[in-house]
Amino acid sequence: MSAAEAAATPSPPAESLSAAERLEKVEALWAEERVQHQRQLAELNAEIAQLRETINALRDSMELGRIGEQERTQKAVATSEDEVRQLKATANALRDQLEMQRIGEQERVQKAVADSNAEIIQLKASVGALRDELELQRVSETERTQKALQQSTAEIVQLKGSVNALREQLDTQAARMKAHA
């Protein structure tokens, strides 16, 4: 007699069942319960696998964001350095030209040098501000990465706790069934 048949068959009073029939009925109930537990375990494993895939996708996304941020940072630094080089070259060219025109144009030369120095100071301030902004962006990205990692870790811990709680429930039910048998 199968477990389904045993469960579907109306049970006669316990006194009229032989020990073998009672044992068979208990085994059928256990088998049915095992199948249910295996289904639940399979569902939990599928959910865990899906969560792992989600975590990996989030990690990949964060890594791509970090790489993009690094590339933007490097590009901004390279652009700033190029501007500084160009400005230095321009300043040097202006100084050479001013030296050639020194006779009779001393005041004009001094004014041009003062203007160039002010521009360099302003550019240095701009470069400093850009560096500060890039550092703030890097810190912000690091904080977001840490937060996402902490959330993922907390979720994994919670899932492990849920799995352990379900295992304990299954063990408790199994112990009860053994105690009643």
Side-chain angles (χ1 to χ4, degrees), residues 40-97:
Q40 290 174 346
L41 184 59
E43 289 172 2
L44 288 173
N45 284 336
E47 187 176 342
I48 288 171
Q50 185 180 10
L51 289 169
R52 284 183 179 151
E53 288 176 14
T54 301
I55 288 169
N56 287 336
L58 287 171
R59 281 185 188 145
D60 292 346
S61 175
M62 287 182 345
E63 181 64 22
L64 287 175
R66 185 182 64 77
I67 289 171
E69 185 65 31
Q70 287 175 347
E71 289 173 353
R72 287 189 295 274
T73 301
Q74 290 173 354
K75 185 177 179 181
V77 168
T79 301
S80 295
E81 288 174 352
D82 188 44
E83 277 185 41
V84 169
R85 268 188 244 111
Q86 289 176 2
L87 289 169
K88 285 181 179 179
T90 301
N92 287 334
L94 287 173
R95 284 183 192 131
D96 290 344
Q97 187 179 17

Side-chain angles (χ1 to χ4, degrees), residues 6-179:
T9 306
S11 34
E15 301 157 353
S16 65
L17 290 177
S18 68
E21 290 172 328
R22 281 184 280 177
L23 178 62
E24 186 177 319
K25 190 168 185 170
V26 168
E27 287 176 350
L29 290 172
W30 274 73
E32 186 178 315
E33 209 172 292
R34 254 186 252 121
V35 168
Q36 289 176 351
H37 290 161
Q38 288 173 349
R39 270 192 222 122
Q40 290 174 346
L41 184 59
E43 289 172 2
L44 288 173
N45 284 336
E47 187 176 342
I48 288 171
Q50 185 180 10
L51 289 169
R52 284 183 179 151
E53 288 176 14
T54 301
I55 288 169
N56 287 336
L58 287 171
R59 281 185 188 145
D60 292 346
S61 175
M62 287 182 345
E63 181 64 22
L64 287 175
R66 185 182 64 77
I67 289 171
E69 185 65 31
Q70 287 175 347
E71 289 173 353
R72 287 189 295 274
T73 301
Q74 290 173 354
K75 185 177 179 181
V77 168
T79 301
S80 295
E81 288 174 352
D82 188 44
E83 277 185 41
V84 169
R85 268 188 244 111
Q86 289 176 2
L87 289 169
K88 285 181 179 179
T90 301
N92 287 334
L94 287 173
R95 284 183 192 131
D96 290 344
Q97 187 179 17
L98 289 174
E99 276 185 39
M100 291 179 183
Q101 298 175 356
R102 186 185 316 166
I103 300 173
E105 299 179 8
Q106 193 66 17
E107 289 180 14
R108 198 172 107 193
V109 169
Q110 291 174 354
K111 184 179 182 310
V113 169
D115 290 344
S116 293
N117 288 335
E119 185 177 351
I120 289 172
I121 290 170
Q122 183 181 10
L123 288 171
K124 285 181 179 179
S126 295
V127 168
L130 285 172
R131 284 184 185 146
D132 292 345
E133 183 178 331
L134 289 173
E135 180 62 22
L136 286 175
Q137 288 176 356
R138 186 191 64 77
V139 167
S140 174
E141 183 66 28
T142 300
E143 289 173 355
R144 284 194 301 271
T145 302
Q146 290 296 326
K147 184 177 179 182
L149 184 60
Q150 288 172 350
Q151 288 174 346
S152 296
T153 302
E155 190 173 339
I156 289 170
V157 168
Q158 183 181 10
L159 288 171
K160 285 181 179 180
S162 296
V163 169
N164 288 335
L166 288 171
R167 282 188 185 142
E168 288 177 15
Q169 286 178 354
L170 289 173
D171 291 342
T172 302
Q173 288 177 357
R176 285 183 188 156
M177 293 300 292
K178 284 183 182 178

